[in-house]
Amino acid sequence: YLKAKNGKAWLVPKFLNALFRGIGQATFANNPFSGILIFTGIVWHSLMLGWIQLLAGTTAIITALLINVNPALITSGSISFNSILLATVTTSICDSNPLFGVPVGSKFLMFIIVGSSLSVFITDALSNISNSFKPSIPILSIPFHILAVIIMTGLRITVSEITEEENSDSRHALVAATNQLDGSVFNETTSLPKTEDWITEYIDLNPSFYSYETLQNSLMAVILSGGQVFGINDLFSSLLVYAGLMMYSPILTFMCLLGATTATLFGLFISPFPNVTVFDGIWGFNGLLSCGAIGLFYVFRFQSVIHGIASVCFTAFLQLSLSNSFQQTKVPVLAFPFLISTIIFVCGLTYGQKLVRVPKITFPE
Amino acid sequence: YLKAKNGKAWLVPKFLNALFRGIGQATFANNPFSGILIFTGIVWHSLMLGWIQLLAGTTAIITALLINVNPALITSGSISFNSILLATVTTSICDSNPLFGVPVGSKFLMFIIVGSSLSVFITDALSNISNSFKPSIPILSIPFHILAVIIMTGLRITVSEITEEENSDSRHALVAATNQLDGSVFNETTSLPKTEDWITEYIDLNPSFYSYETLQNSLMAVILSGGQVFGINDLFSSLLVYAGLMMYSPILTFMCLLGATTATLFGLFISPFPNVTVFDGIWGFNGLLSCGAIGLFYVFRFQSVIHGIASVCFTAFLQLSLSNSFQQTKVPVLAFPFLISTIIFVCGLTYGQKLVRVPKITFPE
Amino acid sequence: YLKAKNGKAWLVPKFLNALFRGIGQATFANNPFSGILIFTGIVWHSLMLGWIQLLAGTTAIITALLINVNPALITSGSISFNSILLATVTTSICDSNPLFGVPVGSKFLMFIIVGSSLSVFITDALSNISNSFKPSIPILSIPFHILAVIIMTGLRITVSEITEEENSDSRHALVAATNQLDGSVFNETTSLPKTEDWITEYIDLNPSFYSYETLQNSLMAVILSGGQVFGINDLFSSLLVYAGLMMYSPILTFMCLLGATTATLFGLFISPFPNVTVFDGIWGFNGLLSCGAIGLFYVFRFQSVIHGIASVCFTAFLQLSLSNSFQQTKVPVLAFPFLISTIIFVCGLTYGQKLVRVPKITFPE
């Protein structure tokens, strides 16, 4: 609709459109109004996060205009969404978690700005590479993940003031980094117990597996998964994320909820870590994204629901395995399980007999 | 031949055909009778392994039918072969090696069943991705390798009851995991000596490099390589694997033996580890697979023999390098060296002037 | 020009042409005379390096003739350049750095010869794979990097006589490996100070950030970057590398200098390590290669200069992040940052509106 207008007066709405679509894209909701709702949720949680998001999004759009990226990519928010995710997640991890050791300062901002700018180049480059595959591979948030790992490692090295003793605390630090913002909801157990304790705790928790409390916590986890996409652990923000998603497409919302629920249950069952990471929605949000992606790329049928659940299953296994490997790098797992799982499932299953890939991706309805 | 029959009465033979072809496929022998011979060899070694193989194969075939995979893939055993490998190798490593710390229990079986089921999705997905490359990249046992690493790491975390002290034993555990079942043949040295001892031992072994004993052990290693494809260290089982291969194609058997021999000699020469891993066929089986794959994909000529040897050479270097990196993850190297080497060699060399890629892969004759 | 001649008498010049083009290719200078200049620079630094280069180059060309590689690839030096790089860099790291623990002996030479021979197979294979992408992905020095990591790890395991105590010195060893040959120019600080000292030193150095000394050192770093492409830290050799580059193409030289300068400044700003690695040209040479590749693949315009700088920027971030990860493997970072950055930038940006990819790569003029 906005495409038709070309006057100067439309520059600002066009810009805002690109910006908020970028925010919405993080949960597949390519719609400026969904973006505004989600943005409200984030500002509600932390005003600073909102400012940094705007800064990153603006940097990305300006860079994109400078290097003449395909305008359709800018308008749809595909360009800005990676830099917005980068800024939000990096900030919320560094900000909330003093043990990660990176203060939010001027050097931090410089990293974010350079990173946002680079994400445009990388998104542009990857979207061209993906076209040489038939069927084309979705880029999803690959640029975000590449840059997030590089920038967070870089920040740790350059900015942090870690002493040698703190290095031995790395295990402790990681757990805190994984359970990013869990202070608000679950403030009883932040420290990862030793292995022997795990077993005990695992046994302790198991009896209550079917208890009312577990059910309540799991429900909470499913809802919190919405916010965790942006690295935010906040009930109200998560509800607004779901509201934004609902406005875009109810079917997508159903798939996302299904994914979050399956992943949470899987997490409860196979995770040896204290269930606090599960109840925080860390497991749920990867499932949410995996299942949502299947819902987005395929026509909604019974067959696609089965594929969605299989994808979530694989995501959960990946998360179990990766969270172990990432302990060494001290960077959280982010949405890597979602990324790997979805690339395999979405690229591959297009020839399926009962699965039809959506030719042009709009909302499922 | 079985394709023509469509009656209900043929369901069972069809199913068995798919199952045993899957077992044969692990050594490229796409033939139900080869599969039966190899299966006999495995049951001979351990009855439980046989049951788990059947379980995994059945799970895979049922899943494949449920999601409507291309029936040709099911009949040729391509679908079931990854899940069968997964089940066999994981079980034989976990079962034989108490230091790996994973008992074969109900949770273990659950992992195997879910893994077998997922392997179908992943095989299906990857076979579609590979079609976007020209010439298409063979999938080989990529799904098996992805899932094996994920599941074995996952099992360690979830099921194992390792205490902190045992972690310091990790080095010990790894060696044992690598030398999986060496108890039967070489029961004198299972523990990895310290570095200084290596040197001594290396010097000690070197004088006997051309001795009769080394020759005998190397010959044994070449034969044992056959069984090691399934993670089994058993002379009779290995002979049955070769017999199954011979029934499928003598040329392929020649290439496989050539690969196993070259890799074993290479291993003796460059491996700093005590030669016990070489004599167990751990080095030989990667060479066997690499050279066999060249034999399978290319018309048999002098040129393809040279390529086969070069491929084995690269495989051996990779094994030396990877076995070092894998020590940290505590997962054995599996057939990763074969996988990387073969993908590079098979994909790439199709334009060769004197090498002709077999247009449709049947047996070489 | 040499193509036209077919007599036997021309075999030697043809061979030398292929050999020296191979040496020139390492800095994109596909020209035998540039190759001779650069070769002179290397022999100046160390006669042995020269011999090993010739050995590796000859092995590669002979292997290529044996397996009937496309003759155009041989003549252009694309085949020999990876094996030459492999030999030069491995030797200069092992030779100059006793702490790396690998003496240059007969076993070392065997590894180099087998490696050079394998690099031909891998180059041939990868160049075929890259053709299945549209636009095709440049292979650059991927074969060199694969083999360098494998061979250097392998050498460490097989040849080295490291005792357990030395393992605890690994950190020390790595730094020395990174600052390979810094003895000649900066002999005051070879040991990496502890983290606390870094901070102090960082603060200490910062005041002098704009000082005359820093400027002088940075200029030196830009020049030294030329030699570091071959792992050589020598002023005169580096000048000869630039001279060879200048003879091939002034525009390429400009892009390379621009890249080296940007990367050095970036390195000064974001590297927490003592600036000695920056002043040695370790940061500069990755930037040099990244920017040079952009200069080679795209028509020279203002837009391509911007892309070059962005690519260097990304390279520097990657270097910061990777140098941390590589500490564990004890292998230096080599030109991995350049490799990853260039593949992303060169593959991807071909659809750019104002960037035109050079259809056939000759020299930019």
Side-chain angles (χ1 to χ4, degrees), chain C residues 286-349:
Chain C
N286 270 298
L288 181 150
L289 290 171
S290 298
C291 207
I294 300 285
L296 189 72
F297 284 103
Y298 295 105
V299 172
F300 183 69
R301 286 192 192 164
F302 178 65
Q303 206 75 16
S304 60
V305 172
I306 289 186
H307 273 90
I309 290 173
S311 173
V312 172
C313 217
F314 186 51
T315 305
F317 269 118
L318 269 172
Q319 183 149 15
L320 181 64
S321 177
L322 285 180
S323 61
N324 199 40
S325 317
F326 272 67
Q327 285 205 345
Q328 293 177 359
T329 58
K330 295 179 198 165
V331 171
V333 190
L334 302 170
F336 268 108
F338 146 69
L339 205 61
I340 299 171
S341 172
T342 302
I343 287 177
I344 293 182
F345 272 79
V346 168
C347 301
L349 298 169

Side-chain angles (χ1 to χ4, degrees), chain B residues 5-6 41-42 73-74 77 118 121 131-132 220 226 243 278-279 348:
Chain B
K5 316 281 175 180
N6 261 316
I42 289 161
L73 281 178
I74 304 179
L118 279 175
F121 287 91
N131 283 333
S132 69
M220 190 72 106
V278 178
F279 292 147

Side-chain angles (χ1 to χ4, degrees), chain C residues 31 71 101 150 159 161 170 208 218 224 260 265 270 295 320 331 350 352:
Chain C
N31 181 316
I150 292 174
V159 183
E161 294 160 34
S170 61
S208 68
S218 304
L224 283 174
L265 292 178
I270 65 174
L320 181 64
V331 171
T350 42

Side-chain angles (χ1 to χ4, degrees), chain C residues 201-211:
Chain C
E201 195 166 337
Y202 191 68
I203 293 159
D204 280 358
L205 282 170
N206 254 358
S208 68
F209 192 75
Y210 302 100
S211 75

Side-chain angles (χ1 to χ4, degrees), chain B residues 36-50 232-240:
Chain B
I36 291 173
L37 267 182
I38 296 172
F39 182 67
T40 316
I42 289 161
V43 170
W44 165 270
H45 178 71
S46 151
L47 194 62
M48 191 188 62
L49 271 184
I232 294 176
N233 189 335
D234 189 302
L235 191 60
F236 186 69
S237 305
S238 297
L239 284 174
L240 278 179

Side-chain angles (χ1 to χ4, degrees), chain B residues 225-282:
Chain B
S225 304
Q228 286 290 5
V229 173
F230 297 94
I232 294 176
N233 189 335
D234 189 302
L235 191 60
F236 186 69
S237 305
S238 297
L239 284 174
L240 278 179
V241 168
Y242 278 115
L245 207 53
M246 198 61 151
M247 177 180 286
Y248 177 63
S249 149
I251 286 183
L252 198 58
T253 315
F254 166 73
M255 287 298 275
C256 286
L257 279 172
L258 177 72
T261 315
T262 315
T264 303
L265 291 178
F266 230 86
L268 277 182
F269 195 58
I270 65 172
S271 168
F273 303 105
N275 287 347
V276 65
T277 60
V278 178
F279 292 147
D280 267 4
I282 304 278

